[in-house]
Every structure is written in C-alpha cells, then in structure tokens.
Amino acid sequence: MKKTEIKIYKEILKAEGEWAAKTRESLRKHNILMLNLIGSPGCGKTALLEALLPLLLKKLRCAVLEGDVETARDAERLKDLGIPVSQIITQGTCHLGAQIVNKAVQELPLADLDLIFVENVGNLVCPTEFDIGEAAKLAVLSVTEGEDKPLKYPLLFRKAGAAVLTKIDLLPHLPFDRVKCLEFISQVNGRLPVFEISALKEQGTLTLADWISAFEIG
Amino acid sequence: MHEFGICQNIVNIACNELKKLEQKNVRVLKLRVKVGSLHAIVNENLEMAYSILTKDTDLHGSRLELISIPVEAECKDCGYRSRIKDNFFVCAQCNSGNLEIIKGQELYIENLEVAYEEDGD
Ligand SMILES: Nc1nc2c(ncn2[C@@H]2O[C@H](COP(=O)(O)OP(=O)(O)OP(=O)(O)O)[C@@H](O)[C@H]2O)c(=O)[nH]1
Ligand SMILES: [Mg+2]
Ligand SMILES: [Zn+2]
C-alpha cells in the first residue's frame, strides 16, 4: 500500500452560498429588501414583527417567512395583518437553509413586495452560520437573557447589520445591566447600530421602522 | 447542532472528490478541514457528526482532522493588523471598533490522506 495526500481546497458551504446568491439575485431584480431575524427561542422575534409591521405597511409592501421547527403558530399570529406569510417547517433542523428559503421566496408574489422578513428558527448560534440571501441579519436579544450574550455569541453580532434589544419594558424588574450590554456589543462590533425596543409598550419601534425604511440594499 | 448540516456538506464534497481519483482500492485515512475561529463550531459535535454521516460512505473509518485558524482583523481607521483575543474586536493601537476581519472566517476542506494499491501489488 502507498500513502498520498490529495489537495482539495473546497469551500464547505459553497452549495449553500450558491443558493443564497440566487435568492439575492431575484431580490435585487425586484428591488426587495430581505432581513433575517436571528435570536434565541422566545426572545420576541414574532412580537417584534407584530409591532413593526403595522408601521412599515404604511409605506412598504411586506411579507414574512416564518421558520419554525414544528408548528405554524407564529405564522397564524401574523395572518391577521393581511400580508403573505409562509411557514417553513424545518422538521428539527436548527436553522433555515439557503435552498429551502430560495424556494419559499420564489413562491412569494415578488413583483408586489418591497420587504421580506425572515424569522429564523429560535436559536442564537446555528442560523448565524448560514447565509440565506438576506441583505442583513438582525440580531435579536431580549433583556431577560443576560447582558453577556454578545460576548458569548460574538459571531451573530459580528455578522449582523443591526442589533435589537427587546423587552426593555422589563428592565425595572431585572438585574440586567443595560450599559454593560451595550458596551459588550460595541466591543464585539463597534459599527453595529443598536435599537432598544418594547414590542409590548410599542417603545422604540418607530425608530427601527425608520431605519428599515431607509435601508440601502448593498 | 448545525454541525450536522456542515458535516453533510463535507461528506458530499469529499465523496465527490474521491470518485475522481485514478488510484485503485483507495482507503481514506484522514480528512483535514480548516476552521476559522469566528465560526461557532464545536469540534466534538463536528467529529461526532462525521463518524455518523460517513458510516455508509467511502470515508468510513477515516479521521476528521480539524485545524483552527485564529481571528485577525485590520483597523479601518489606522491600518493596524492584530490577532483578536477573547472576542475583543477593538484596535489594539487606536481603540477603534471599526475593524475588518481578514482571517478567521475560513471553512474549507484542505486535503485527504489516502492509502491505495500500486499497480502490480
Ligand atoms: N414584557 C414583554 N414581553 C414580550 C415582549 N416581546 C415579546 N414578549 C413575550 O415574550 C414571549 C415570546 O415572544 P415571541 O414573540 O413569541 O418570541 P419569539 O422569539 O418569536 O419565539 P420563538 O419563535 O418561539 O423562538 C411571549 O410571551 C411574548 O409575550 C416585550 O416587548 N415585552
Ligand atoms: Mg416566533
Ligand atoms: Zn486602529
């Protein structure tokens, strides 16, 4: 027997990247902004959409892709807004893949849209690794999770286009150190805009809606 | 456990490369993957996924070697390049947070180590 080394040098996520590029291309053609919401289970992603969409719908035509491991509950919650909402059930997978998102995007009425939100599967780590063709990721962190999360999960905050600190109405009841949290975020990514929001009390939602409306697709 | 998804890609790519080989009776000993430290990949999870996903493939019995690449960044304000430690993405020279990552985002298969039979063996 002989031994030899075979050089390969192949990108592992190349296939994923190609699907993401296809999606990006379709979105560009229709001048649609796609935002990818990433955060832990229960951090308030759906509530954030419920609070933001009525504001955004005054100016923009929106749709939502809901990534969920098992149920269609989140999609049900958004249906009353009268916009296209598609459910992508990942059947246990911890993130949305680029190919399945591409299929869901193609099934939307692209000619009649300006903005697509993707609510990724509730998870702070895995979805961050996968480009799905979005213009920007939004890192969603609730004040109930602790101020150290940006340091523990830096990748999301490095890759995000903005961070959203949710449930700030709860601050008076929690030991959460807001200043520390903002410091940690800027330590991980000094260029990241941070929006502090309460979906429940509709605080900070206008500022974020304005930022989204003004977002320039790169 | 996104490591399974990543690993499935590794297995697909490597098996494809193996099909292209001219050598006969090839047995894969080792597959080397370079992982930028910015990835949130737990080595043990990836290794476990590898042993499971390679079971019925030509990679069966081979070892996954993971080599991590440290994170390096360049300051967009003063141009200083530095190694990032403890997730502290701040320029060591001018304190700016305006950094561009130049290393640590890699994720690729570098090589395969194989044993094979020579003609006439
Ligand atoms: N006090 C307070 N509670 C909130 C706020 N936003 C969300 N919640 C609560 O947090 C819980 C989870 O909110 P969701 O919007 O379902 O969170 P999610 O991130 O979509 O959850 P998954 O999709 O399951 O990952 C619910 O009980 C909400 O009522 C907020 O601004 N303030
Ligand atoms: Mg939700
Ligand atoms: Zn500098």
Side-chain angles (χ1 to χ4, degrees):
Chain A
M1 292 294 263
K2 279 190 89 170
K3 257 197 214 176
T4 187
E5 184 195 296
I6 299 157
K7 297 225 179 299
I8 293 193
Y9 293 107
K10 282 255 157 79
E11 287 296 331
I12 288 163
L13 295 179
K14 187 158 175 279
E16 293 273 333
E18 285 166 359
W19 279 109
K22 275 185 205 167
T23 303
R24 212 163 259 129
E25 184 55 40
S26 316
L27 295 172
R28 182 165 304 145
K29 222 185 279 164
H30 292 96
N31 200 25
I32 297 171
L33 172 67
M34 186 162 95
L35 298 173
N36 181 3
L37 267 66
I38 300 178
S40 312
C43 69
K45 298 178 291 298
T46 310
L48 177 66
L49 291 178
E50 286 170 318
L52 275 179
L53 282 165
L55 303 174
L56 290 165
L57 282 167
K58 288 177 187 159
K59 280 189 264 177
L60 304 170
R61 298 163 299 170
C62 308
V64 178
L65 300 180
E66 275 292 340
D68 242 314
V69 181
E70 296 292 351
T71 73
R73 288 181 63 98
D74 284 358
E76 293 299 324
R77 280 165 63 183
L78 296 167
K79 287 243 164 82
D80 291 343
L81 292 164
I83 57 170
V85 179
S86 311
Q87 181 73 31
I88 309 175
I89 295 190
T90 63
Q91 288 168 333
T93 313
C94 52
H95 65 273
L96 286 173
Q99 184 174 359
I100 199 167
V101 170
N102 180 270
K103 185 163 171 281
V105 165
Q106 301 307 341
E107 283 168 5
L108 289 171
L110 296 181
D112 306 318
L113 290 176
D114 305 303
L115 174 62
I116 299 172
F117 280 111
V118 180
E119 180 180 338
N120 219 309
V121 180
N123 188 317
L124 203 54
V125 183
C126 310
T128 312
E129 290 282 359
F130 299 87
D131 180 7
I132 54 171
E134 74 277 337
K137 295 177 173 52
L138 296 187
V140 186
L141 176 69
S142 71
V143 296
T144 57
E145 294 169 68
E147 64 275 341
D148 60 344
K149 293 303 167 289
L151 280 191
K152 285 178 108 170
Y153 305 99
L155 184 66
L156 175 58
F157 294 86
R158 274 308 306 178
K159 285 194 169 176
V164 185
L165 193 58
T166 60
K167 309 191 191 181
I168 56 163
D169 57 285
L170 296 175
L171 279 174
H173 315 288
L174 297 168
F176 186 87
D177 190 334
R178 176 182 158 273
V179 175
K180 263 257 145 60
C181 184
L182 296 176
E183 217 175 276
F184 289 154
I185 292 174
S186 97
Q187 181 178 319
V188 169
N189 187 348
R191 295 186 286 202
L192 194 68
V194 183
F195 297 93
E196 298 175 64
I197 282 195
S198 164
L200 193 71
K201 298 275 157 70
E202 294 180 12
Q203 266 176 289
T205 41
L206 260 179
T207 319
L208 178 53
D210 285 344
W211 182 83
I212 291 171
S213 306
F215 195 97
E216 300 273 344
I217 305 169
Chain B
M1 282 296 281
H2 55 301
E3 285 88 354
F4 266 87
I6 289 171
C7 193
Q8 190 61 60
N9 284 293
I10 295 177
V11 173
N12 294 349
I13 294 167
C15 287
N16 247 326
E17 291 297 314
L18 281 173
K19 286 202 193 92
K20 297 184 201 162
L21 298 183
E22 286 159 10
Q23 291 95 337
K24 275 181 288 180
N25 292 327
V26 172
R27 188 161 59 86
V28 182
L29 305 172
K30 196 169 81 183
L31 183 151
R32 179 186 288 168
V33 168
K34 290 252 171 116
V35 184
S37 300
L38 205 58
H39 287 283
I41 288 177
V42 179
N43 284 3
E44 289 73 25
N45 290 354
L46 198 53
E47 282 158 4
M48 191 193 14
Y50 190 78
S51 69
I52 293 170
L53 294 173
T54 52
K55 238 172 212 147
D56 299 313
T57 73
D58 296 339
L59 295 166
H60 180 70
S62 64
R63 188 165 72 81
L64 178 67
E65 181 182 35
L66 299 171
I67 311 259
S68 57
I69 302 175
V71 182
E72 281 178 34
E74 183 178 279
C75 176
K76 289 282 124 192
D77 291 330
C78 78
Y80 186 73
R81 285 183 171 209
S82 57
R83 173 87 54 100
I84 301 296
K85 287 190 211 96
D86 305 323
N87 298 323
F88 199 72
F89 292 82
V90 176
C91 176
Q93 185 159 279
C94 78
N95 252 334
S96 164
N98 192 9
L99 303 187
E100 200 76 35
I101 305 293
I102 48 175
K103 256 192 198 169
Q105 308 194 85
E106 304 79 357
L107 187 59
Y108 63 93
I109 303 179
E110 186 172 72
N111 64 33
L112 285 170
E113 195 181 289
V114 300
Y116 62 95
E117 260 171 41
E118 268 183 301
D119 279 346
D121 265 11

